[in-house]
Amino acid sequence: MAYKAWFQCINPQCRATYPLNTIIYRCENCSSLLEVTHDMQALADRSSKEWTKLFEERYKSTEWPYGSGVWSKKEWVLPQISDDNIVSLYEGGTNLFWAERFGKMLGMGDLWIKLCGNSHSGSFKDLGMTVLVSQVKQMISEGAPIRAVACASTGDTSAALAVYCAAAGIQSVVLLPKGKISVAQLIQPIANGSLVLSLDTDFDGCMAVVKEITKDETIYLANSMNSLRIEGQKTVGIEICQQFDWKLPDVIIIPGGNLGNVSALGNGLLMMKNLGLVDSLPRLVVAQAERSNPLYRSYLKNFETFEPIQAGKTLASAIQIGNPVSVEKAIRTLKHFNGIVEQATEDELADAAALGDTAGMFCCPHTGVALAALIKLLKEGKIDKSERVVVISTAHGLKFTDFKVRYHEGTLDIPSRFANKPIEVPATVDAVKEALAQALQNRRNTDV
Ligand SMILES: *Cc1c(COP(=O)(O)O)cnc(C)c1O
Ligand SMILES: [Zn+2]
């Protein structure tokens, strides 16, 4: 059976279709976003058992390109791409671990963290970028006149784009908001040979410019407005299910900015349901920073209206977005999944990240937003302590050391409840002994 996928307009009144090698980001008829749509009838030629068996055989194997968490699901992602054009850095297959101690601190017994930041460029953006850059490589091999691939970024998209393009030998261009991303995030595209443009604006400003720049078809757009990204990112939900031996958790919490990732998560889960791999769906929670919370505001009005906002400065810099491109898709997803949107203040996100670290994590601030949302939803009784909850950790904490250093120094403008300051002592055995005796007495054992 030949599996097929194409771009389709998300507007139910339109549903125009375009081949995947068209250079197009919005519908030509109605300007809505597009989504990659699969021939589900063709995919139904295999039973759910056959699919899970195939995915199991491929998982982390050495067989190119199927060892990748994304390409192990190739037929569900980009069935028509030639293996020769796949640009993979063995993405996906990240650890899903039982957060036993942190869960206990919250009175939970079944809390899990999906560490999507344990990947090549240090964030989940690799999952989407492998698909987009592979499709670009395929189009170039077919003769498309693409000179470069460009994105606007809050730091992680540009890092992923730069490294996948470097691996493929394709020029990347990144537009970054000056002074609003971490040093680690900035050095990644620089090191990977990207053309780095630092703009004196915020993410939304960079996005507005890159949309104009990419009207020139020789510069291909890599933001998640381009739904090829979503196809790769949707594998995260399938992978979580696979890691639980094909059982879904009760709740999945994900931090949201531009809102492509929650839409992707939903798509992957729905595809599993449609093909009979699961028979129910989890509840999805989007966690936003209070200072950049347009989706939360819309949620409070039952999604009847949506107003973009001017994003305020937040420590969760990768989700400092006021005008999310994928908002329509995200709202559709949340309605389908009995979804919740929760927000976290700067205090709450920083303390939650730090508390997670004391229990054996190493959280980026966005993961802190998700953990803070979990803590609040447990308090409000919207999540039950007995439920199986997965928190998607979106980036590696090492990309955000400045945030952590300042938290523990106490130089962020917040109380830093869990700050752990180094003790300066003279380099003598007696002084160290004395300092130890004092410190160990003061320190409570936090085990519960
Ligand atoms: C991009 C990003 C997000 C948000 O994903 P969206 O698809 O924009 O909602 C969250 N956390 C990190 C670390 C990111 O890089
Ligand atoms: Zn349309």
Side-chain angles (χ1 to χ4, degrees):
M1 180 68 82
Y3 302 120
K4 273 195 313 251
W6 56 88
F7 287 127
Q8 188 149 22
C9 172
I10 64 166
N11 174 358
Q13 269 84 53
C14 174
R15 302 299 276 161
T17 66
Y18 308 87
L20 289 184
N21 58 5
T22 321
I23 299 181
I24 190 170
Y25 317 111
R26 283 188 181 273
C27 179
E28 275 171 7
N29 299 337
C30 72
S31 308
S32 296
L33 288 184
L34 305 172
E35 63 189 342
V36 176
T37 307
H38 291 262
D39 180 346
M40 295 301 287
Q41 242 168 358
L43 289 167
D45 77 329
R46 288 187 210 215
S47 69
S48 58
K49 282 243 156 57
E50 286 169 316
W51 281 120
T52 53
K53 185 165 173 285
L54 182 69
F55 295 160
E56 289 291 333
E57 282 163 7
R58 290 174 174 173
Y59 189 67
K60 293 196 170 186
S61 71
T62 51
E63 188 196 348
W64 172 267
Y66 301 117
S68 148
V70 172
W71 297 108
S72 62
K73 322 281 186 303
K74 182 184 172 189
E75 294 81 356
W76 291 27
V77 173
L78 273 195
Q80 288 133 301
I81 197 154
S82 136
D83 285 357
D84 294 341
N85 290 321
I86 289 179
V87 185
S88 171
L89 298 167
Y90 206 66
E91 49 289 317
T94 52
N95 35 337
L96 172 68
F97 76 91
W98 182 33
E100 183 183 8
R101 259 194 82 218
F102 188 71
K104 269 191 192 159
M105 289 174 178
L106 311 183
M108 301 174 78
D110 210 359
L111 174 64
W112 298 74
I113 312 289
K114 175 67 171 163
L115 277 185
C116 292
N118 285 4
S119 74
H120 197 82
S121 79
S123 86
F124 76 85
K125 300 288 199 306
D126 291 358
L127 298 175
M129 213 50 88
T130 181
V131 172
L132 185 132
V133 174
S134 298
Q135 178 63 27
V136 170
K137 193 172 172 198
Q138 174 122 336
M139 292 191 313
I140 291 174
S141 78
E142 290 166 357
I146 295 172
R147 287 186 297 157
V149 187
C151 75
S153 177
T154 51
D156 290 327
T157 301
S158 46
L161 177 65
V163 80
Y164 279 87
C165 280
I170 297 169
Q171 182 62 52
S172 61
V173 176
V174 307
L175 279 68
L176 300 170
K178 192 174 159 192
K180 295 191 174 70
I181 70 171
S182 78
V183 174
Q185 289 172 321
L186 176 61
I187 197 60
Q188 287 181 293
I190 291 176
N192 288 131
S194 198
L195 198 59
V196 179
L197 303 170
S198 182
L199 273 58
D200 196 6
T201 177
D202 57 7
F203 170 80
D204 296 300
C206 291
M207 192 65 220
V209 174
V210 84
K211 275 189 202 166
E212 293 302 314
I213 303 292
T214 52
K215 282 184 177 158
D216 170 352
E217 291 200 348
T218 68
I219 303 179
Y220 192 76
L221 177 69
N223 281 97
S224 56
M225 186 177 150
N226 183 334
S227 56
L228 288 167
R229 289 261 311 281
I230 309 279
E231 284 315 283
Q233 288 170 204
K234 84 180 182 195
T235 58
V236 70
I238 308 170
E239 191 170 288
I240 288 170
C241 187
Q242 179 167 6
Q243 287 172 308
F244 284 129
D245 293 324
W246 303 103
K247 284 187 202 73
L248 282 169
D250 300 307
V251 181
I252 302 178
I253 306 180
I254 189 169
N258 221 9
L259 305 176
N261 208 23
V262 63
S263 319
L265 175 65
N267 282 3
L269 298 171
L270 281 177
M271 209 156 167
M272 275 196 296
K273 180 136 186 281
N274 287 344
L275 292 168
L277 279 71
V278 293
D279 46 28
S280 63
L281 294 170
R283 256 157 73 219
L284 298 186
V285 177
V286 173
Q288 292 211 296
E290 189 192 35
R291 291 186 180 168
S292 295
N293 64 352
L295 186 70
Y296 178 74
R297 293 174 191 221
S298 169
Y299 169 74
L300 293 182
K301 295 185 201 144
N302 286 317
F303 298 126
E304 273 151 27
T305 56
F306 177 82
E307 310 269 344
I309 61 166
Q310 176 68 44
K313 187 170 167 48
T314 167
L315 293 163
S317 50
I319 55 175
Q320 188 173 319
I321 296 175
N323 188 12
V325 165
S326 294
V327 66
E328 261 179 80
K329 289 182 182 177
I331 290 175
R332 190 181 65 178
T333 302
L334 286 169
K335 285 183 175 166
H336 209 112
F337 284 80
N338 190 17
I340 301 175
V341 186
E342 185 52 272
Q343 63 174 2
T345 64
E346 299 299 290
D347 273 26
E348 288 167 342
L349 77 88
D351 282 340
L355 187 65
D357 290 357
T358 68
M361 298 180 220
F362 195 68
C363 299
C364 75
H366 324 88
T367 306
V369 172
L371 294 177
L374 168 65
I375 292 169
K376 292 170 91 169
L377 292 171
L378 284 168
K379 275 198 189 127
E380 292 163 24
K382 291 189 185 156
I383 294 178
D384 192 84
K385 288 181 173 165
S386 66
E387 288 185 288
R388 171 170 283 182
V389 178
V390 174
V391 170
I392 296 190
S393 173
T394 44
H396 202 295
L398 285 174
K399 288 183 115 173
F400 299 90
T401 44
D402 187 52
F403 154 71
K404 290 185 176 297
V405 169
R406 287 170 58 213
Y407 180 90
H408 290 287
E409 280 175 354
T411 55
L412 295 172
D413 246 354
I414 56 169
S416 291
R417 278 171 60 211
F418 306 108
N420 180 23
K421 284 200 185 122
I423 309 163
E424 287 192 21
V425 274
T428 66
V429 172
D430 285 348
V432 170
K433 274 189 178 165
E434 198 189 310
L436 266 184
Q438 264 188 23
L440 290 177
Q441 199 171 30
N442 292 342
R443 219 168 249 228
R444 255 182 330 116
N445 188 344
T446 48
D447 257 323
V448 264

